């Protein structure tokens, strides 16, 4: 019985083998195992369309061997650049040598000069159109190791020919691969405005109104690395604090001002202030121009906490006339600033810059409103709209001074309250006491919450934690808070985002093609040796025996 | 790494088996069927061994911090005595000269073993992007396995003979035990001297070659007597 079974297997065995092995191979072959030595997260450079123009880097896929800037040949290779070494000229030089992709390594401990240089490099990088994928990554120990090995093994060396041959066999390279890269357009990506209102005492439609505007998103050369601490979060923090203080005044019938105050946390602020544009359109559509015509002043806030700037600027598109609210607000602020005795060197100025309609992008958020002939101004501690730190990934928490921020919020709130009650310009009593004073702890915690995460407009959907938190906080102090989500127009999109903001990248150790060749030669030699050894095995045995006999006889 | 690397590994791993088949008396006697049969027996034996391990042996929980589990390793290797039974079965089933018996058994058994243990690793691992010396080491290890199985099957053959000198039987048994418990012994050495990669391979080779050399001597002595 058993004999027969074995006999059957015995006769059919080669056939079984023929059938099973190829099937197994076929089943297994699609598995692509990426079992790499190092894996790390890389953040892709910005890619977006704005008013029909494309910006940033247009591709995502990397699969190339790593090189450094010192390598002899970087054509069709992936170049690793260190952020503290890179500058505009050097970068262009690298591009000329035709790499397939660039990965820029960010150090955590860059000196002040290096930070400044990188920030201006960032602005230039964004202005360049780049067809190759550009990625950013934090330099950790693994990446440091990869970088030093690559730069060591691919250095330009003029050794002897033998040295070159040995090097080519022993050199270790790294193959960099991004896992499942894609950069699809996202036509349905929504931006979210958070808006609320404090109604004044009286007939609502006839009261004058002040609109407070701040955007809360961040921008940088790589979306998922941009925390936009100063430009982006300080405005929103100031807004929340002002909302809290004004909410106190409006809730008490004895201190109810005859002014409407509207709050707008606008989305997509870094993309030509799309949130404000949407808000103006909606306001004009729904209630005719009556609500807009009641608006006496639109006060935008951005970058209020610059560390090294001891000043507060009011940016306007045209100098306000002496009887306008903007003018009176400014003079209140100057007064309040003088009242703050502890900071005598603190400066306050009005910066006047005309809107350049021919320009692709607006410089400040108030220009969106000024175009519609509304009185508008932006308050900022930055003196220039061209400051590259407004659009940098290095605009981090460390660059923000909470003291300056608190002081600026205090000045703005104080002046605003004086404006709401129309207090005489000569009164200098201290308003900001008790509950009405700026709460430093609160400002700091909100600043930390916002600037601890990347808030690019690309991810700030309706359900994003930051959006929800801002809306909830605002609704604690202000009436009628709602989130207004909007998309770009289908036919003629004002803005278009792309996905693929961050990926896992794997660095696998690879050897040169020559190495394979050497191994092949060695294996062939080995097999030949085995061949002769087995062939002449009897000869070998008799030799062994003879020598053993000799040893015994001796 | 590359397909060439895969080919290199496969050539290094399996060519000794092919070369041995082609150049020895195996090809003269057209023993492909017998070798296939030996491979089948290998598979059946492994299946039985696995069933036995799963059924009768306590599960060995590997604690990575606690370093060595000698008892567990020895117990696990005790199942490898099943290999001897398998080898014995093949030897008794094969007809022909003693060296033919030993060679058929070794090439069939060892070939099946390295095919099933390493080919998938080569296919998946050696073709992947990452380079690792591991696959070259595996290929060399399959050469060591051939020597190991050759020694083992010649010992089993001698042990199965009735006309063997009774005085050398204990030595044969000891050698067989060394072969069966090769893994735990090497594991122990590995633990005493911290070895890995190439040094481990060298250790394995030294151990196997010394056992094989002694076995060869006995085998030759026995053939001549």
């Amino acid at each position: 019985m058993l004999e027969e079974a074995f006999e059957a297997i015995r006769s059919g065995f080669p056939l079984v083998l023929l059938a099973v092995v190829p099937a197994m191979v076929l089943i297994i072959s699609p598995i692509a195992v990426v079992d790499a030595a190092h894996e790390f997260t890389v953040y892709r450079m910005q890619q977006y369309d704005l008013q029909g123009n494309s910006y940033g880097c247009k591709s995502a896929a990397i699969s190339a061997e790593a090189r450094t800037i010192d390598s002899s040949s970087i054509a069709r290779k992936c170049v690793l650049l260190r952020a503290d070494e890179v500058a505009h000229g050097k970068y262009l030089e690298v591009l000329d040598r035709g790499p397939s992709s660039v990965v820029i390594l960010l150090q955590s401990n860059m000196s002040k000069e290096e930070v400044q240089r990188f920030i201006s490099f960032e602005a230039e990088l964004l202005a360049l159109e780049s067809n190759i994928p550009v990625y950013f990554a934090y330099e950790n120990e693994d990446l440091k190791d990869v970088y030093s090995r690559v730069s060591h093994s691919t250095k330009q060396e003029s050794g002897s020919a033998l040295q070159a041959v040995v090097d080519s066999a022993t050199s270790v390279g790294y193959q960099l691969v991004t896992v499942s890269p894609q950069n699809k357009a996202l036509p349905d990506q929504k931006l979210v405005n958070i808006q609320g209102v404090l109604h004044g005492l009286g007939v609502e439609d006839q009261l004058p109104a002040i609109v407070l505007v701040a955007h809360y998103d961040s921008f940088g050369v790589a979306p998922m690395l941009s925390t936009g601490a100063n430009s982006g979060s300080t405005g929103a923090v100031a807004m929340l604090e002002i909302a809290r203080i004004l909410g106190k005044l409006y809730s008490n019938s004895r201190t109810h001002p005859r002014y409407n105050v509207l709050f707008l946390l606008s989305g997509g602020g870094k993309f030509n202030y799309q949130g404000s544009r949407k808000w103006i359109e909606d306001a004009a559509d729904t209630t005719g121009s009556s609500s807009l015509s009641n608006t006496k002043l639109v006060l935008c806030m951005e970058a209020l906490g610059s560390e090294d700037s001891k000043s507060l600027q009011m940016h306007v598109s045209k100098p306000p006339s002496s009887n306008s609210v903007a003018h009176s607000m400014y003079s209140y602020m100057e007064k309040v600033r003088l009242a703050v005795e502890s900071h005598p060197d603190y400066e306050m100025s009005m910066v006047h810059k005309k809107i350049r309609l021919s320009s692709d992008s607006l410089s400040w958020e108030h220009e969106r409103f000024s175009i519609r002939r509304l009185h508008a101004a932006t308050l900022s501690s930055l003196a220039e709209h061209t400051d590259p730190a407004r659009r940098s990934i290095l605009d981090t928490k460390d660059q923000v001074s909470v003291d300056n921020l608190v002081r600026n919020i205090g000045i703005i709130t104080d002046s605003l309250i004086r404006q709401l009650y129309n207090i005489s310009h000569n009164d200098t009593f201290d308003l900001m006491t008790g509950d009405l004073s700026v709460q430093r702890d609160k400002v700091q915690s909100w600043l930390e919450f916002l600037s601890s995460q990347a808030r690019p407009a690309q991810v700030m959907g309706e359900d994003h934690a930051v959006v929800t938190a801002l809306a909830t906080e605002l609704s604690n102090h202000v009436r009628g808070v709602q989130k207004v989500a909007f998309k770009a127009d289908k036919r003629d999109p004002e803005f278009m985002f792309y996905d693929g903001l961050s990926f896992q990248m794997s660095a696998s150790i690879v050897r040169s093609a020559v190495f394979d060749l050497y191994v092949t030669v060695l294996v062939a030699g080995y097999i030949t040796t085995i061949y002769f050894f087995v062939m002449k095995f009897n000869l070998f045995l008799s030799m062994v025996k003879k020598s053993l006999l000799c040893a015994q006889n001796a | 790494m590359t397909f060439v690397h895969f080919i290199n590994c496969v050539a290094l791993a399996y060519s000794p088996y092919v070369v041995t088949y082609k150049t020895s008396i195996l090809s003269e006697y057209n023993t492909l069927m017998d070798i296939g049969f030996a491979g089948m027996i290998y598979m059946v034996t492994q299946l039985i061994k696995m069933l036995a391990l799963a059924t009768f042996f306590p599960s060995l929980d590997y604690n990575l911090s606690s370093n060595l589990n000698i008892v567990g390793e020895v117990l696990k290797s005790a199942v490898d005595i099943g290999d001897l039974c398998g080898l014995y079965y093949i030897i008794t089933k094969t007809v022909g000269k003693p060296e033919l018996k030993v060679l058929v058994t070794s090439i069939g058994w060892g070939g099946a073993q390295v095919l099933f243990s390493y080919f998938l690793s080569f296919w998946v691992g050696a073709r992947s992007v990452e380079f690792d010396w591991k696959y070259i080491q595996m290929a060399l290890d399959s050469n060591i396995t051939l020597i190991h199985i050759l020694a083992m099957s010649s010992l089993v053959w001698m042990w199965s003979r009735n006309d063997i000198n009774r005085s050398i039987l204990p030595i044969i048994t000891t050698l067989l035990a060394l072969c069966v418990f090769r893994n735990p012994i090497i594991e122990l050495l590995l633990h005493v001297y911290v070895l890995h990669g190439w040094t481990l391979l060298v250790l394995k080779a030294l151990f196997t070659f010394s056992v094989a050399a002694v076995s060869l001597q006995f085998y030759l002595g026995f053939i001549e007597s």
Side-chain angles (χ1 to χ4, degrees):
Chain A
M1 178 63 198
L2 204 64
E3 296 289 332
E4 280 171 29
F6 280 129
E7 200 55 48
I9 295 165
R10 225 171 148 167
S11 55
F13 182 73
L15 284 176
V16 173
L17 202 71
L18 275 180
V20 168
V21 170
M24 260 165 53
V25 167
L26 275 179
I27 290 164
I28 286 150
S29 56
I31 301 173
V33 181
V34 181
D35 183 24
H38 305 293
E39 273 203 14
F40 45 90
T41 315
V42 286
Y43 304 91
R44 200 162 72 90
M45 194 180 145
Q46 285 279 3
Q47 182 184 11
Y48 60 93
D49 300 345
L50 203 55
Q51 281 141 1
N53 299 329
S54 319
Y55 297 89
C57 99
K58 296 198 174 48
S59 43
I62 293 186
S63 180
E65 222 180 293
R67 288 286 186 273
T68 65
I69 195 161
D70 303 323
S71 307
S72 49
S73 157
I74 58 172
R76 292 200 298 279
K77 299 283 195 280
C78 179
V79 181
L80 298 174
L81 291 175
R82 287 170 61 101
D84 56 359
E85 290 169 0
V86 77
H88 191 51
K90 220 173 182 181
Y91 180 73
L92 289 180
E93 216 172 88
V94 168
L95 283 193
D96 274 349
R97 291 162 69 190
S100 74
S101 45
V102 174
V103 176
I104 296 173
L105 309 178
L106 300 167
Q107 286 76 33
S108 49
N109 54 344
M110 281 200 271
S111 71
K112 205 128 190 149
E113 275 167 51
E114 283 163 353
V115 166
Q116 284 309 320
R117 197 173 59 196
F118 184 78
I119 287 177
S120 52
F121 165 66
E122 219 181 313
E124 281 151 346
L125 192 60
L126 277 168
L128 277 178
E129 197 172 335
S130 107
N131 289 316
I132 61 169
V134 179
Y135 282 91
F136 293 81
Y138 287 120
E139 190 183 62
N140 52 17
E141 286 305 312
D142 278 358
L143 272 172
K144 240 181 220 164
D145 184 43
V146 169
Y147 185 88
S148 65
R149 282 224 213 167
V150 168
S151 68
H152 178 74
S153 66
T154 60
K155 231 183 298 173
Q156 290 155 309
E157 265 179 77
S158 51
S160 63
L162 183 70
Q163 183 69 30
V165 167
V166 171
D167 277 350
S168 69
T170 54
S171 74
V172 173
Y174 282 92
Q175 180 83 13
L176 301 179
V177 179
T178 46
V179 182
S180 63
Q182 52 177 357
N183 52 333
K184 287 198 306 285
L186 299 169
D188 292 328
Q189 181 66 40
K190 285 179 177 169
L191 295 176
V192 184
N193 277 348
I194 304 164
Q195 53 197 53
V197 66
L198 284 172
H199 296 295
L201 184 68
V203 183
E204 199 185 303
D205 287 351
Q206 289 165 11
L207 288 175
I210 288 182
V211 184
L212 295 176
V213 182
H215 59 258
Y216 57 88
D217 57 328
S218 62
F219 188 91
V221 72
M224 288 314 274
L225 285 176
S226 60
T227 53
N230 193 17
S231 174
S233 56
T234 52
V237 170
M239 168 94 90
L240 292 178
E241 192 59 15
I242 293 171
R244 183 185 66 79
I245 295 169
L246 291 189
K248 286 259 180 312
L249 292 173
Y250 273 73
S251 61
N252 190 336
S253 61
R254 290 167 62 197
T255 58
H256 201 163
R258 296 178 180 278
Y259 248 109
N260 287 334
V261 179
L262 280 69
F263 294 86
L264 170 63
L265 281 167
S266 63
K270 300 297 185 184
F271 294 92
N272 238 351
Y273 309 107
Q274 295 298 334
S276 298
R277 192 186 55 78
K278 168 74 178 163
W279 186 85
I280 297 169
E281 277 175 10
D282 284 357
D285 280 354
T286 50
T287 50
S289 55
S290 73
S291 84
L292 285 182
S293 68
N294 283 340
T295 302
K296 297 297 176 203
L297 175 64
V298 179
L299 212 51
C300 308
M301 291 175 287
E302 185 188 336
L304 292 168
S306 303
E307 194 173 30
D308 41 4
S309 148
K310 289 234 182 305
S311 62
L312 185 61
Q313 264 79 25
M314 184 183 249
H315 297 269
V316 289
S317 310
K318 102 179 174 205
S321 57
S322 58
N323 56 357
S324 69
V325 175
H327 187 270
S328 117
M329 182 78 194
Y330 181 70
S331 47
Y332 277 129
M333 284 166 70
E334 276 202 311
K335 286 272 153 48
V336 172
R337 191 261 306 173
L338 287 176
V340 182
E341 282 297 323
S342 53
H343 312 287
D345 57 341
Y346 203 72
E347 279 176 30
M348 172 99 228
S349 59
M350 175 103 73
V351 182
H352 168 219
K353 187 202 147 284
K354 279 191 181 149
I355 302 173
R356 277 181 54 210
L357 287 169
S358 59
S359 161
D360 281 343
S361 58
L362 300 171
S363 344
W364 293 104
E365 190 151 22
H366 72 263
E367 294 188 352
R368 272 274 170 232
F369 298 89
S370 295
I371 291 175
R372 302 295 292 251
R373 306 207 172 281
L374 292 163
H375 292 288
T378 297
L379 297 173
S380 172
S381 56
L382 300 177
E384 291 283 334
H385 69 89
T386 48
D387 198 327
R390 284 177 77 199
R391 294 159 77 82
S392 171
I393 55 173
L394 295 181
D395 179 7
T396 54
K397 219 166 5 192
D398 310 334
Q399 314 286 324
V400 177
S401 146
V402 180
D403 288 331
N404 286 353
L405 177 58
V406 167
R407 187 187 308 135
N408 285 336
I409 295 175
I411 293 174
I412 295 168
T413 318
D414 198 336
S415 322
L416 195 61
I417 293 172
R418 282 165 202 269
Q419 177 65 45
L420 293 180
Y421 295 109
N422 213 359
I423 296 170
S424 158
H425 284 268
N426 298 322
D427 277 333
T428 52
F429 57 84
D430 196 5
L431 277 171
M432 309 286 285
T433 51
D435 267 356
L436 298 186
S437 62
V438 177
Q439 291 178 353
R440 196 195 141 94
D441 293 348
K442 205 167 169 208
V443 167
Q444 184 156 15
S445 66
W446 270 100
L447 182 68
E448 258 159 34
F449 168 65
L450 289 176
S451 57
S452 64
Q453 49 197 318
R455 293 168 285 113
Q458 284 92 328
V459 300
M460 300 303 275
E462 267 177 294
D463 300 325
H464 194 276
V466 167
V467 175
T468 319
L470 286 173
T472 313
E473 173 66 15
L474 198 61
S475 65
N476 287 340
H477 310 299
V478 165
R479 298 274 178 74
V481 170
Q482 51 177 339
K483 291 188 272 186
V484 179
F486 59 98
K487 292 192 262 197
D489 190 39
K490 278 265 182 274
R491 297 225 187 99
D492 180 24
E494 301 87 1
F495 60 91
M496 175 75 81
F497 298 139
Y498 293 83
D499 72 355
L501 303 177
S502 64
F503 293 110
Q504 282 300 110
M505 178 177 269
S506 60
S508 316
I509 298 172
V510 291
R511 297 256 171 184
S512 61
V514 187
F515 174 79
D516 272 344
L517 208 66
Y518 291 147
V519 173
T520 310
V521 169
L522 285 178
V523 169
Y526 178 73
I527 294 171
T528 320
T529 319
I530 296 270
Y531 177 78
F532 283 113
F533 180 69
V534 177
M535 199 120 111
K536 304 287 177 201
F537 192 64
N538 284 328
L539 195 70
F540 169 75
L541 279 186
S542 55
M543 268 165 62
V544 171
K545 259 184 259 170
K546 239 181 247 166
S547 61
L548 279 177
L549 281 177
C550 286
Q552 272 174 13
N553 292 345
Chain B
M1 205 170 77
T2 53
F3 194 70
V4 180
H5 187 60
F6 166 71
I7 296 289
N8 280 340
C9 288
V10 169
L12 188 55
Y14 301 122
S15 58
Y17 294 84
V18 178
V19 165
T20 312
Y21 178 80
K22 284 284 174 198
T23 51
S24 70
I25 50 167
L26 287 175
S27 51
E28 291 164 26
Y29 286 84
N30 192 19
T31 50
L32 203 56
M33 280 299 208
D34 298 301
I35 286 171
F37 173 73
M40 284 304 286
I41 295 297
Y42 167 79
M43 284 194 275
V44 172
T45 314
Q46 297 311 308
L47 196 69
I48 293 169
K49 268 168 62 185
M50 269 189 264
L51 284 174
L53 254 182
T55 316
F56 301 114
F57 287 79
S59 69
L60 303 169
D61 291 327
Y62 272 100
N63 201 343
L64 286 178
S65 55
S66 94
N67 18 41
L68 193 62
N69 189 350
I70 288 283
V71 183
E73 284 291 330
V74 170
L75 266 179
K76 221 170 65 176
S77 286
V79 183
D80 292 346
I81 294 168
D83 286 347
L84 298 183
C85 305
L87 288 172
Y88 178 76
Y89 183 75
I90 302 168
I91 286 172
T92 50
K93 282 291 148 190
T94 322
V95 284
K97 293 195 264 183
E99 59 260 46
L100 192 72
K101 280 183 169 194
V102 169
L103 278 173
V104 163
T105 313
S106 315
I107 297 293
W109 184 279
Q113 183 173 339
V114 294
L115 188 72
F116 292 120
S117 332
Y118 295 141
F119 191 78
L120 284 189
S121 300
F122 290 148
W123 183 256
V124 176
R127 281 188 329 141
S128 74
V129 181
E130 177 97 2
F131 170 82
D132 202 323
W133 282 109
K134 195 166 77 183
Y135 302 104
I136 297 276
Q137 287 163 0
M138 271 186 189
L140 288 171
D141 189 46
S142 94
N143 296 0
I144 297 171
T145 305
L146 176 61
I147 305 290
H148 178 66
I149 301 290
L150 267 171
M152 217 149 98
S153 46
S154 61
L155 287 169
V156 169
W157 176 77
M158 279 186 276
W159 192 78
S160 70
R161 297 290 298 193
N162 293 325
D163 52 349
I164 194 163
N165 191 347
R166 287 284 136 196
S167 59
I168 63 164
L169 202 58
I171 304 172
I172 302 277
T173 317
T174 316
L175 284 171
L176 271 174
L178 277 177
C179 283
V180 169
F181 293 104
R182 183 178 75 139
N183 284 341
I185 291 169
I186 286 177
E187 200 84 356
L188 186 69
L189 288 171
L190 189 76
H191 196 72
V192 175
Y193 314 98
V194 181
L195 303 172
H196 53 269
W198 291 108
T199 42
L200 174 62
L201 200 69
V202 169
L203 177 72
K204 250 187 188 173
L206 281 178
F207 183 87
T208 311
F209 286 160
S210 38
V211 171
V214 178
S215 313
L216 180 65
Q217 212 180 354
F218 279 108
Y219 176 78
L220 289 177
F222 184 54
I223 292 281
E224 269 168 30
S225 64

